[in-house]
């Protein structure tokens, strides 16, 4: 819950069902009333964000957690499209990925990612990292309305 008392809408763009499960668990364990919405590829992410088709009534996310390695449309492409769109560019995007490659980190920041976080392989550490991202963007950062 944000300091205004409203739930934060988080969009997780992740194709790995295990990582989706861990992220859901981290949100539930964190005991925050934030809503986690999940899409599994880049095309679906853009349809969700643009409220197209099945996502016509989707809530606008306050935060996007974006994997880079996605089917159909790569996370880098999604990030570029989000940050190039005047309607979407103000939504903070946290890249949450397994890649530790310098070129992915650099490219993500060049595309205006708000943060780049490497997914830990350890279960407990993964949960902790997701909680910290959630805590930071919910309690510390002021999000646009």
């Amino acid at each position: 819950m944000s300091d205004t008392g409203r739930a934060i809408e988080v969009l997780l763009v992740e194709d790995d069902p295990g990582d989706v499960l861990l992220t859901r668990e981290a949100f539930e364990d964190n005991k925050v009333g934030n809503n986690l919405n999940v899409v599994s590829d880049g095309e679906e992410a853009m349809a969700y964000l643009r409220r197209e088709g099945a996502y016509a009534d989707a809530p606008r996310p306050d935060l996007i957690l974006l994997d880079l390695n996605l089917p159909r449309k790569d996370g880098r492409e999604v990030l570029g499209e989000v940050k190039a769109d005047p309607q979407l560019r103000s939504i903070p995007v946290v890249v949450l990925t397994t890649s530790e490659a310098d070129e992915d980190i650099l490219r993500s920041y060049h595309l205006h990612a708000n943060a780049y976080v490497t997914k830990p392989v350890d279960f407990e550490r993964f949960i902790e990292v997701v909680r910290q991202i959630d805590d930071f963007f919910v309690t510390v950062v002021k999000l646009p309305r």
Side-chain angles (χ1 to χ4, degrees):
M1 263 304 157
S2 70
D3 57 353
T4 63
R6 80 174 177 91
I8 299 294
E9 295 291 338
V10 179
L11 177 62
L12 173 63
V13 186
E14 173 61 68
D15 64 318
D16 183 320
D19 288 349
V20 170
L21 194 63
L22 288 176
T23 306
R24 280 194 192 285
E25 192 169 311
F27 270 70
E28 288 166 11
D29 287 355
N30 216 12
K31 308 272 188 282
V32 225
N34 295 334
N35 299 319
L36 182 66
N37 302 287
V38 181
V39 294
S40 60
D41 67 53
E43 298 257 328
E44 210 180 341
M46 293 314 300
Y48 182 102
L49 291 165
R50 292 182 174 135
R51 296 181 176 146
E52 296 170 346
Y55 300 108
D57 296 323
R60 177 184 168 88
D62 298 297
L63 174 65
I64 300 169
L65 301 179
L66 178 66
D67 186 19
L68 289 182
N69 303 309
L70 296 167
R72 295 179 16 147
K73 184 179 288 219
D74 184 82
R76 295 156 197 84
E77 291 176 75
V78 172
L79 178 58
E81 286 184 37
V82 167
K83 293 304 181 177
D85 186 321
Q87 300 298 315
L88 303 174
R89 74 170 51 123
S90 65
I91 302 171
V93 178
V94 175
V95 172
L96 184 60
T97 188
T98 53
S99 175
E100 295 184 33
D102 287 341
E103 64 265 19
D104 282 337
I105 296 167
L106 193 58
R107 181 151 181 230
S108 293
Y109 283 118
H110 278 181
L111 291 170
H112 305 288
N114 296 83
Y116 189 102
V117 179
T118 303
K119 291 180 195 169
V121 289
D122 171 72
F123 167 79
E124 292 298 323
R125 186 75 188 111
F126 184 94
I127 297 281
E128 185 56 31
V129 164
V130 172
R131 277 193 200 129
Q132 288 174 348
I133 292 168
D134 187 48
D135 284 343
F136 179 71
F137 277 94
V138 172
T139 59
V140 178
V141 172
K142 295 291 182 206
L143 295 172
R145 298 274 171 255

